[in-house]
Amino acid sequence: MNEAPLLEVLNLVKDYPLPKQSLFAPAPQLRAVNDVSFQIAAGESFGLVGESGCGKSTLARSVMALEKPTSGRIAFQGEELFSRTADELRHLRRNFQMVFQDPYGSLDPRQPVGRIVSEPLHALAERPARPEARRLVDETLEAVGLRPADAHKYPHEFSGGQRQRIAIARALITRPALIVADEPVSALDVSVQAQVLNLLLDLQGAYRLSYLFIGHDLAVVSHIADRVAVMYRGEIVEQGPTADLFTNPQHPYTQALLEAVPRPDPVTRRARRAPLAAAALQPDSMDHRGCIYRSRCPIAEAVCEKVSPELRHMGDARLLACHVRGRGDADRRD
């Protein structure tokens, strides 16, 4: 029997109201996330990639129960998050925590590190006694490569990579089952990124953590994720095991993302990359009719203008939303 998923997101939709165009007209809606579904198993790292503004961070805030979705379902360990009372959600919240992108803005500069790291403990329904809280802080700081004595220092006394370790310690202090990492290394120097990524992998093995790892750097995501979903304008267009998706991308957008990754040129000794399609600056209509990628797609057909492709299984573990690329596999199954 297959183990129940740790996190299940089903048909998630999130709309935001836009300013009215006239006094009596209804406020238009911006759909930031459109019918997104995925699951994360215990101990698994699930990567979510896409360009800035595609809805990744909105999805992360919904998973953390920081924003209520317009429709859809989010269940953690079988518990529906948005049907819980505030007290019930408080009990669940110790099991999922978040690491934010900015290690400078996410830490209170007026608080010592010990208080910052122990902050999630104070939000628990059953707070540990002060000696136990102090022991947890010391143990967690050591787990992320810092010293217990660092608990008495302030964030400005640490480098960017050390501050992100503090942020990771804050997320780890309640011993959660899931950590949502929203571009946790994008603000760090390249030399420090590998250290933080390796730390996350070490912590995953030590504490059997699951990650929802959000990023736009494909090399970073490929290093840590077991499975990857590619997101474009609020929708998942392709999903599959990391190695398969990166070596054999099927969706034209996934292919464009991979081709845009800088590669060293031994002749010029400079990084070169293939630019994304020029049609990127020509937005599609906001009503989500037809394929959302059609204006940038080099293989778009007439059907792409009228019908939105469904995210369908194209093999044992690959999901794809494309009329053209998915046609052959569908015909073979029929």
Side-chain angles (χ1 to χ4, degrees), residues 4-5 7 21 40 96 118 140 147 162 167 183 218 229 248 305:
L7 176 74
Q21 297 178 351
I40 301 178
F96 52 93
S118 65
T140 307
R147 301 173 302 168
Q162 290 173 324
E183 306 212 33
L218 301 183
N248 185 28
E305 294 284 341

Side-chain angles (χ1 to χ4, degrees), residues 87-134:
D87 287 339
E88 290 172 336
L89 188 58
R90 196 175 183 182
H91 281 282
L92 284 174
R93 195 175 289 281
R94 72 174 301 159
N95 291 317
F96 52 93
Q97 296 290 331
M98 189 166 184
V99 177
F100 296 92
Q101 175 180 0
D102 184 6
Y104 297 91
S106 63
L107 304 179
D108 188 342
R110 298 168 297 180
Q111 300 289 346
V113 167
R115 187 170 298 178
I116 291 172
V117 172
S118 65
E119 182 181 1
L121 297 176
H122 300 301
L124 298 179
E126 298 179 0
R127 301 180 185 179
R130 183 172 296 179
E132 175 64 11
R134 189 177 299 115

